mmCIF file of all heavy atoms in Angstrom:
data_model
loop_
_atom_site.group_PDB
_atom_site.id
_atom_site.type_symbol
_atom_site.label_atom_id
_atom_site.label_comp_id
_atom_site.label_asym_id
_atom_site.label_seq_id
_atom_site.Cartn_x
_atom_site.Cartn_y
_atom_site.Cartn_z
ATOM 1 N N VAL A 299 -11.182 1.390 -17.867
ATOM 2 C CA VAL A 299 -10.068 1.323 -16.916
ATOM 3 C C VAL A 299 -10.519 0.710 -15.595
ATOM 4 O O VAL A 299 -9.864 -0.191 -15.059
ATOM 5 C CB VAL A 299 -9.488 2.743 -16.663
ATOM 6 C CG1 VAL A 299 -8.392 2.692 -15.602
ATOM 7 C CG2 VAL A 299 -8.946 3.326 -17.953
ATOM 8 N N GLU A 300 -11.659 1.186 -15.073
ATOM 9 C CA GLU A 300 -12.159 0.663 -13.798
ATOM 10 C C GLU A 300 -12.598 -0.791 -13.926
ATOM 11 O O GLU A 300 -12.424 -1.584 -13.005
ATOM 12 C CB GLU A 300 -13.314 1.537 -13.278
ATOM 13 C CG GLU A 300 -12.872 2.928 -12.863
ATOM 14 C CD GLU A 300 -13.840 3.585 -11.909
ATOM 15 O OE1 GLU A 300 -14.771 2.906 -11.420
ATOM 16 O OE2 GLU A 300 -13.657 4.789 -11.623
ATOM 17 N N ARG A 301 -13.180 -1.128 -15.063
ATOM 18 C CA ARG A 301 -13.581 -2.529 -15.297
ATOM 19 C C ARG A 301 -12.376 -3.452 -15.245
ATOM 20 O O ARG A 301 -12.417 -4.536 -14.654
ATOM 21 C CB ARG A 301 -14.258 -2.660 -16.669
ATOM 22 C CG ARG A 301 -15.722 -2.313 -16.696
ATOM 23 C CD ARG A 301 -16.450 -2.984 -17.864
ATOM 24 N NE ARG A 301 -15.728 -2.879 -19.117
ATOM 25 C CZ ARG A 301 -15.863 -1.890 -19.994
ATOM 26 N NH1 ARG A 301 -16.706 -0.895 -19.734
ATOM 27 N NH2 ARG A 301 -15.187 -1.870 -21.125
ATOM 28 N N ASN A 302 -11.295 -3.020 -15.864
ATOM 29 C CA ASN A 302 -10.086 -3.854 -15.911
ATOM 30 C C ASN A 302 -9.414 -3.972 -14.543
ATOM 31 O O ASN A 302 -8.800 -4.993 -14.229
ATOM 32 C CB ASN A 302 -9.096 -3.277 -16.925
ATOM 33 C CG ASN A 302 -9.612 -3.393 -18.357
ATOM 34 O OD1 ASN A 302 -10.438 -4.254 -18.666
ATOM 35 N ND2 ASN A 302 -9.144 -2.517 -19.239
ATOM 36 N N MET A 303 -9.545 -2.910 -13.739
ATOM 37 C CA MET A 303 -8.905 -2.925 -12.418
ATOM 38 C C MET A 303 -9.700 -3.745 -11.404
ATOM 39 O O MET A 303 -9.151 -4.197 -10.402
ATOM 40 C CB MET A 303 -8.731 -1.494 -11.912
ATOM 41 C CG MET A 303 -7.715 -0.686 -12.696
ATOM 42 S SD MET A 303 -7.357 0.905 -11.936
ATOM 43 C CE MET A 303 -6.380 0.408 -10.529
ATOM 44 N N PHE A 304 -10.988 -3.918 -11.667
ATOM 45 C CA PHE A 304 -11.825 -4.698 -10.753
ATOM 46 C C PHE A 304 -11.508 -6.179 -10.888
ATOM 47 O O PHE A 304 -11.665 -6.773 -11.950
ATOM 48 C CB PHE A 304 -13.301 -4.432 -11.056
ATOM 49 C CG PHE A 304 -14.247 -5.118 -10.102
ATOM 50 C CD1 PHE A 304 -14.105 -4.981 -8.731
ATOM 51 C CD2 PHE A 304 -15.288 -5.903 -10.580
ATOM 52 C CE1 PHE A 304 -14.976 -5.603 -7.847
ATOM 53 C CE2 PHE A 304 -16.172 -6.523 -9.710
ATOM 54 C CZ PHE A 304 -16.010 -6.376 -8.339
ATOM 55 N N ASP A 305 -11.029 -6.762 -9.796
ATOM 56 C CA ASP A 305 -10.567 -8.152 -9.843
ATOM 57 C C ASP A 305 -10.955 -8.869 -8.548
ATOM 58 O O ASP A 305 -10.782 -8.328 -7.460
ATOM 59 C CB ASP A 305 -9.039 -8.180 -10.024
ATOM 60 C CG ASP A 305 -8.498 -9.596 -10.003
ATOM 61 O OD1 ASP A 305 -8.971 -10.433 -10.781
ATOM 62 O OD2 ASP A 305 -7.591 -9.862 -9.187
ATOM 63 N N ILE A 306 -11.498 -10.068 -8.690
ATOM 64 C CA ILE A 306 -11.894 -10.863 -7.515
ATOM 65 C C ILE A 306 -11.155 -12.200 -7.539
ATOM 66 O O ILE A 306 -11.222 -12.934 -8.524
ATOM 67 C CB ILE A 306 -13.416 -11.125 -7.495
ATOM 68 C CG1 ILE A 306 -14.182 -9.802 -7.394
ATOM 69 C CG2 ILE A 306 -13.789 -12.025 -6.319
ATOM 70 C CD1 ILE A 306 -15.684 -9.963 -7.505
ATOM 71 N N ARG A 307 -10.458 -12.472 -6.457
ATOM 72 C CA ARG A 307 -9.787 -13.769 -6.320
ATOM 73 C C ARG A 307 -10.292 -14.429 -5.042
ATOM 74 O O ARG A 307 -9.885 -14.080 -3.941
ATOM 75 C CB ARG A 307 -8.265 -13.585 -6.270
ATOM 76 C CG ARG A 307 -7.696 -13.099 -7.586
ATOM 77 C CD ARG A 307 -6.190 -13.076 -7.581
ATOM 78 N NE ARG A 307 -5.651 -12.589 -8.834
ATOM 79 C CZ ARG A 307 -4.349 -12.493 -9.114
ATOM 80 N NH1 ARG A 307 -3.452 -12.848 -8.191
ATOM 81 N NH2 ARG A 307 -3.943 -12.035 -10.283
ATOM 82 N N LEU A 308 -11.172 -15.386 -5.222
ATOM 83 C CA LEU A 308 -11.770 -16.106 -4.100
ATOM 84 C C LEU A 308 -11.056 -17.434 -3.901
ATOM 85 O O LEU A 308 -10.958 -18.240 -4.831
ATOM 86 C CB LEU A 308 -13.264 -16.334 -4.375
ATOM 87 C CG LEU A 308 -14.041 -17.172 -3.356
ATOM 88 C CD1 LEU A 308 -14.033 -16.515 -1.982
ATOM 89 C CD2 LEU A 308 -15.462 -17.409 -3.835
ATOM 90 N N MET A 309 -10.548 -17.643 -2.695
ATOM 91 C CA MET A 309 -9.831 -18.876 -2.379
ATOM 92 C C MET A 309 -10.828 -19.936 -1.893
ATOM 93 O O MET A 309 -11.573 -19.708 -0.936
ATOM 94 C CB MET A 309 -8.779 -18.619 -1.292
ATOM 95 C CG MET A 309 -7.893 -17.425 -1.579
ATOM 96 S SD MET A 309 -6.982 -17.544 -3.137
ATOM 97 C CE MET A 309 -6.208 -15.927 -3.191
ATOM 98 N N LYS A 310 -10.840 -21.083 -2.556
ATOM 99 C CA LYS A 310 -11.804 -22.138 -2.218
ATOM 100 C C LYS A 310 -11.145 -23.399 -1.680
ATOM 101 O O LYS A 310 -11.818 -24.328 -1.237
ATOM 102 C CB LYS A 310 -12.631 -22.495 -3.463
ATOM 103 C CG LYS A 310 -13.500 -21.336 -3.956
ATOM 104 C CD LYS A 310 -14.312 -21.751 -5.167
ATOM 105 C CE LYS A 310 -15.196 -20.608 -5.650
ATOM 106 N NZ LYS A 310 -15.998 -20.980 -6.837
ATOM 107 N N GLU A 311 -9.830 -23.430 -1.713
ATOM 108 C CA GLU A 311 -9.123 -24.634 -1.268
ATOM 109 C C GLU A 311 -7.915 -24.261 -0.410
ATOM 110 O O GLU A 311 -7.425 -23.130 -0.474
ATOM 111 C CB GLU A 311 -8.657 -25.466 -2.479
ATOM 112 C CG GLU A 311 -9.812 -25.996 -3.322
ATOM 113 C CD GLU A 311 -9.321 -26.766 -4.532
ATOM 114 O OE1 GLU A 311 -8.083 -26.842 -4.721
ATOM 115 O OE2 GLU A 311 -10.156 -27.290 -5.285
ATOM 116 N N GLY A 312 -7.465 -25.231 0.363
ATOM 117 C CA GLY A 312 -6.247 -25.051 1.155
ATOM 118 C C GLY A 312 -6.434 -24.123 2.345
ATOM 119 O O GLY A 312 -7.546 -23.851 2.800
ATOM 120 N N ARG A 313 -5.320 -23.592 2.834
ATOM 121 C CA ARG A 313 -5.329 -22.743 4.023
ATOM 122 C C ARG A 313 -6.049 -21.419 3.786
ATOM 123 O O ARG A 313 -6.570 -20.818 4.719
ATOM 124 C CB ARG A 313 -3.893 -22.455 4.459
ATOM 125 C CG ARG A 313 -3.153 -23.689 4.956
ATOM 126 C CD ARG A 313 -1.749 -23.320 5.370
ATOM 127 N NE ARG A 313 -0.991 -24.468 5.856
ATOM 128 C CZ ARG A 313 0.275 -24.417 6.238
ATOM 129 N NH1 ARG A 313 0.925 -23.255 6.183
ATOM 130 N NH2 ARG A 313 0.894 -25.506 6.665
ATOM 131 N N MET A 314 -6.045 -20.958 2.560
ATOM 132 C CA MET A 314 -6.652 -19.663 2.243
ATOM 133 C C MET A 314 -8.160 -19.765 1.988
ATOM 134 O O MET A 314 -8.790 -18.789 1.599
ATOM 135 C CB MET A 314 -5.977 -19.063 1.004
ATOM 136 C CG MET A 314 -4.502 -18.744 1.194
ATOM 137 S SD MET A 314 -4.247 -17.388 2.362
ATOM 138 C CE MET A 314 -4.775 -15.996 1.374
ATOM 139 N N LYS A 315 -8.711 -20.940 2.217
ATOM 140 C CA LYS A 315 -10.143 -21.133 1.975
ATOM 141 C C LYS A 315 -10.969 -20.166 2.822
ATOM 142 O O LYS A 315 -10.676 -19.948 3.997
ATOM 143 C CB LYS A 315 -10.524 -22.575 2.316
ATOM 144 C CG LYS A 315 -11.920 -22.975 1.864
ATOM 145 C CD LYS A 315 -12.156 -24.452 2.146
ATOM 146 C CE LYS A 315 -13.531 -24.882 1.675
ATOM 147 N NZ LYS A 315 -13.787 -26.312 1.947
ATOM 148 N N GLY A 316 -12.007 -19.604 2.210
ATOM 149 C CA GLY A 316 -12.853 -18.645 2.920
ATOM 150 C C GLY A 316 -12.296 -17.237 2.942
ATOM 151 O O GLY A 316 -12.741 -16.394 3.712
ATOM 152 N N GLN A 317 -11.326 -16.980 2.067
ATOM 153 C CA GLN A 317 -10.723 -15.656 1.978
ATOM 154 C C GLN A 317 -10.743 -15.180 0.525
ATOM 155 O O GLN A 317 -10.835 -15.989 -0.396
ATOM 156 C CB GLN A 317 -9.285 -15.687 2.504
ATOM 157 C CG GLN A 317 -9.190 -16.170 3.944
ATOM 158 C CD GLN A 317 -7.755 -16.349 4.397
ATOM 159 O OE1 GLN A 317 -6.935 -15.469 4.227
ATOM 160 N NE2 GLN A 317 -7.452 -17.510 4.963
ATOM 161 N N ALA A 318 -10.636 -13.878 0.353
ATOM 162 C CA ALA A 318 -10.661 -13.324 -1.002
ATOM 163 C C ALA A 318 -9.877 -12.022 -1.065
ATOM 164 O O ALA A 318 -9.754 -11.295 -0.065
ATOM 165 C CB ALA A 318 -12.100 -13.079 -1.447
ATOM 166 N N PHE A 319 -9.339 -11.759 -2.238
ATOM 167 C CA PHE A 319 -8.665 -10.489 -2.517
ATOM 168 C C PHE A 319 -9.441 -9.796 -3.632
ATOM 169 O O PHE A 319 -9.732 -10.400 -4.665
ATOM 170 C CB PHE A 319 -7.217 -10.725 -2.941
ATOM 171 C CG PHE A 319 -6.346 -11.231 -1.827
ATOM 172 C CD1 PHE A 319 -6.172 -12.591 -1.616
ATOM 173 C CD2 PHE A 319 -5.700 -10.333 -0.980
ATOM 174 C CE1 PHE A 319 -5.378 -13.058 -0.592
ATOM 175 C CE2 PHE A 319 -4.898 -10.793 0.056
ATOM 176 C CZ PHE A 319 -4.740 -12.161 0.256
ATOM 177 N N ILE A 320 -9.754 -8.544 -3.414
ATOM 178 C CA ILE A 320 -10.559 -7.801 -4.384
ATOM 179 C C ILE A 320 -9.845 -6.515 -4.765
ATOM 180 O O ILE A 320 -9.511 -5.689 -3.903
ATOM 181 C CB ILE A 320 -11.954 -7.475 -3.816
ATOM 182 C CG1 ILE A 320 -12.680 -8.780 -3.467
ATOM 183 C CG2 ILE A 320 -12.775 -6.660 -4.816
ATOM 184 C CD1 ILE A 320 -13.934 -8.600 -2.659
ATOM 185 N N GLY A 321 -9.595 -6.372 -6.055
ATOM 186 C CA GLY A 321 -8.948 -5.165 -6.564
ATOM 187 C C GLY A 321 -9.984 -4.149 -7.007
ATOM 188 O O GLY A 321 -10.892 -4.471 -7.777
ATOM 189 N N LEU A 322 -9.859 -2.928 -6.491
ATOM 190 C CA LEU A 322 -10.785 -1.850 -6.828
ATOM 191 C C LEU A 322 -10.040 -0.727 -7.562
ATOM 192 O O LEU A 322 -8.812 -0.684 -7.539
ATOM 193 C CB LEU A 322 -11.456 -1.335 -5.557
ATOM 194 C CG LEU A 322 -12.429 -2.340 -4.912
ATOM 195 C CD1 LEU A 322 -12.803 -1.897 -3.502
ATOM 196 C CD2 LEU A 322 -13.678 -2.524 -5.749
ATOM 197 N N PRO A 323 -10.770 0.168 -8.227
ATOM 198 C CA PRO A 323 -10.141 1.182 -9.082
ATOM 199 C C PRO A 323 -9.151 2.107 -8.370
ATOM 200 O O PRO A 323 -8.166 2.528 -8.959
ATOM 201 C CB PRO A 323 -11.323 1.996 -9.623
ATOM 202 C CG PRO A 323 -12.494 1.078 -9.521
ATOM 203 C CD PRO A 323 -12.240 0.236 -8.323
ATOM 204 N N ASN A 324 -9.421 2.437 -7.106
ATOM 205 C CA ASN A 324 -8.547 3.371 -6.393
ATOM 206 C C ASN A 324 -8.711 3.210 -4.886
ATOM 207 O O ASN A 324 -9.563 2.448 -4.420
ATOM 208 C CB ASN A 324 -8.851 4.823 -6.810
ATOM 209 C CG ASN A 324 -10.342 5.113 -6.762
ATOM 210 O OD1 ASN A 324 -10.984 4.986 -5.720
ATOM 211 N ND2 ASN A 324 -10.915 5.494 -7.908
ATOM 212 N N GLU A 325 -7.880 3.937 -4.134
ATOM 213 C CA GLU A 325 -7.914 3.847 -2.672
ATOM 214 C C GLU A 325 -9.241 4.345 -2.094
ATOM 215 O O GLU A 325 -9.730 3.816 -1.104
ATOM 216 C CB GLU A 325 -6.763 4.668 -2.063
ATOM 217 C CG GLU A 325 -5.409 4.003 -2.192
ATOM 218 C CD GLU A 325 -4.325 4.771 -1.449
ATOM 219 O OE1 GLU A 325 -4.673 5.668 -0.640
ATOM 220 O OE2 GLU A 325 -3.145 4.483 -1.672
#
């Protein structure tokens, strides 16, 4: 469950470059 919830989205292009969203198992 925790493996599936762990998610990394790294922005490498455009205005969002140098930013990332990371999903973790819980608050």
Side-chain angles (χ1 to χ4, degrees):
V299 176
E300 292 201 9
R301 277 204 315 270
N302 292 335
M303 291 188 73
F304 184 52
D305 177 54
I306 298 174
R307 292 187 181 182
L308 175 62
M309 311 301 175
K310 296 181 179 180
E311 297 178 358
R313 293 180 180 178
M314 296 292 287
K315 191 175 181 180
Q317 302 173 50
F319 291 92
I320 300 169
L322 291 167
N324 49 59
E325 285 186 13

